Amino acid sequence: MELITSKELWEWRIWAISIATDDISDREVDWLLQSVANVDRLTLRLELLADAKGTRTANGRSIEISMSLDRLTALWLDRVQERKPVQYLIGTTCWRDFELVVSPAVLIPRPETESIIDIALAATDSIQQQGIWVDLGTGSGAIAIAIARSLPAAQIYAVDSSSAALEIAQMNATRLDVLDRINFSHGSWWSSLAHLQGKITVMLSNPPYIPSQEVLLLQPEVAQHEPHLALDGGLDGLDAIRVLVDTAPEYLQAGGIWLIEMMAGQGAAVVALLEQQGSYDDIEIINDLAGLDRFVLARMCR
C-alpha cells in the first residue's frame, strides 16, 4: 500500500481521461481508481479525497492506494493502447447483485445475460426449483452462482471445457460462499454428466454464438482479449446451439426446461432447429431489455 495526496490522484485522473479515446468513458477511469483506492465516484469528482485517518497534507488529504502510480499508469496504458477491457485490468466485474473475478480465461459476463436467471425462475414451479439445474459452458460461473444464491434447494452442476475457466468459476463460488452448492466438472457440454441422463430439470447455457467471420470484426476489447472459445459459434454461429438442441433430450426429464442465450437475429433459426428435432414444445423467443431477441426457451415434450 502507498500513500499519495488527493491532488496527485486528481491530477492522475485528469491525465488518464485526457489520453482516452472517445469510446472509453471517464467512468472507466473512476472504476479503475475505485479498485485501488477506497473512494467513490462522487468523492473523486468533487476532489474531496480522504483516507480513513484523515491525514492532511499541503496538497490535500492523504489517500492510501494499493499500487504505485507508475503501476496504475501502466494499467491505464494497457487499456488505451492495447484495448484491454477494464474488467480484466481490475480483475473483477459486477453482475446482478454480486462481484465476480474475471480474467482473459473467461468471457466477461454481460448485463443482458442477467435476464436468463429471471426467465428460468419465472418458467419453473416450486418442485422444479428443487430439481437438477445445469449450466453448460459456465465460464466465470455467473449463471450457476446466481441460481445457487436464488434456489437453496436446487442441485446445481456447472460444466466447462476449459480448465482455466473452471478455476475462475470455483474461485467465484468460494468467494460468494456457494462452493458446496455447485458441482463443477470439466467436459464438453454433457460429456461429464452421463449419470444424469433423463434426470435434469433445467438446462441453461450462454454458448458461443458469434459467426466465425464476425468474431474478428468485434470491438478490439472483445476480439483481441476475450476467449474465442466462448465467442466463436462456427460458420453461422449456431454450431454449439445445434449440439445443445440435438443432445439435450437425452438428459432433460419430461417437461424439463431448455433455455439459452443467443445473438440477436438468431431466434427464428433456433426455433426451427428445435422444431425439426421434434422433442420440444412450448418453444418461445424472449427479448432482452433492449427489445432484441436474445433468449429461446423450450420444454421437453411430456
Side-chain angles (χ1 to χ4, degrees):
M1 303 294 285
E2 296 195 8
L3 283 178
I4 65 169
T5 67
S6 59
K7 180 180 178 182
E8 288 175 310
L9 197 58
W10 184 255
E11 288 175 345
W12 188 93
R13 180 181 185 273
I14 293 172
W15 167 81
I17 292 171
S18 74
I19 70 164
T21 54
D22 290 342
D23 57 343
I24 297 177
S25 167
D26 61 356
R27 287 182 175 274
E28 294 194 30
V29 180
D30 293 345
W31 195 359
L32 183 58
L33 286 177
Q34 287 171 241
S35 74
V36 301
N38 187 26
V39 289
D40 59 34
R41 189 166 188 261
L42 178 60
T43 300
L44 286 168
R45 292 183 66 84
L46 294 176
E47 301 182 68
L48 298 176
L49 302 171
D51 65 6
K53 296 179 181 179
T55 306
R56 295 180 181 276
T57 73
N59 292 313
R61 300 176 184 242
S62 293
I63 305 300
E64 192 174 55
I65 61 174
S66 61
M67 65 179 65
S68 68
L69 280 184
D70 287 344
R71 176 57 182 154
L72 193 61
T73 296
L75 286 179
W76 188 246
L77 289 175
D78 277 345
R79 175 70 188 103
V80 175
Q81 297 174 357
E82 303 300 324
R83 307 296 292 190
K84 290 184 180 178
V86 69
Q87 294 93 331
Y88 288 160
L89 299 181
I90 295 170
T92 61
T93 191
C94 292
W95 196 78
R96 287 182 71 87
D97 60 344
F98 51 87
E99 184 180 77
L100 293 164
V101 171
V102 291
S103 82
V106 298
L107 200 69
I108 298 166
R110 276 25 179 207
E112 56 266 28
T113 305
E114 295 180 7
S115 296
I116 200 170
I117 307 301
D118 303 308
I119 293 166
L121 295 177
T124 52
D125 58 28
S126 59
I127 294 176
Q128 290 173 313
Q129 291 177 2
Q130 298 176 47
I132 299 174
W133 291 56
V134 173
D135 173 20
L136 296 180
T138 194
S140 65
I143 291 173
I145 289 168
I147 293 301
R149 288 163 62 90
S150 299
L151 300 178
Q155 301 176 58
I156 303 164
Y157 290 79
V159 180
D160 207 287
S161 62
S162 165
S163 297
L166 280 176
E167 288 182 10
I168 296 292
Q170 290 172 308
M171 183 187 305
N172 282 320
T174 299
R175 283 165 51 97
L176 293 162
D177 199 27
V178 292
L179 183 62
D180 62 339
R181 297 284 329 287
I182 304 171
N183 302 283
F184 289 97
S185 63
H186 180 251
S188 177
W189 305 122
W190 303 100
S191 65
S192 61
L193 302 178
H195 61 294
L196 296 178
Q197 288 187 17
K199 300 178 182 178
I200 292 170
T201 309
V202 179
M203 182 213 82
L204 300 169
S205 185
N206 180 14
Y209 51 66
I210 308 295
S212 299
Q213 67 273 20
E214 295 184 24
V215 171
L216 294 178
L217 301 178
L218 298 171
Q219 63 189 88
E221 287 82 354
V222 180
Q224 296 175 18
H225 299 287
E226 297 202 60
H228 285 200
L229 180 66
L231 295 167
D232 192 337
L235 186 62
D236 61 358
L238 298 173
D239 282 2
I241 294 173
R242 285 191 184 89
V243 171
L244 296 177
V245 168
D246 291 340
T247 57
E250 297 178 41
Y251 293 85
L252 287 171
Q253 61 186 212
I257 299 291
W258 185 97
L259 175 58
I260 63 146
E261 180 177 331
M262 63 187 174
M263 187 171 73
Q266 292 178 334
V270 175
V271 168
L273 290 172
L274 290 162
E275 290 176 341
Q276 291 165 13
Q277 204 285 331
S279 299
Y280 305 90
D281 57 19
D282 298 332
I283 301 169
E284 180 183 3
I285 296 172
I286 301 172
N287 292 346
D288 60 20
L289 296 178
L292 302 173
D293 56 336
R294 180 66 61 185
F295 308 96
V296 172
L297 182 148
R299 296 180 188 271
M300 283 295 297
C301 294
R302 296 182 184 275

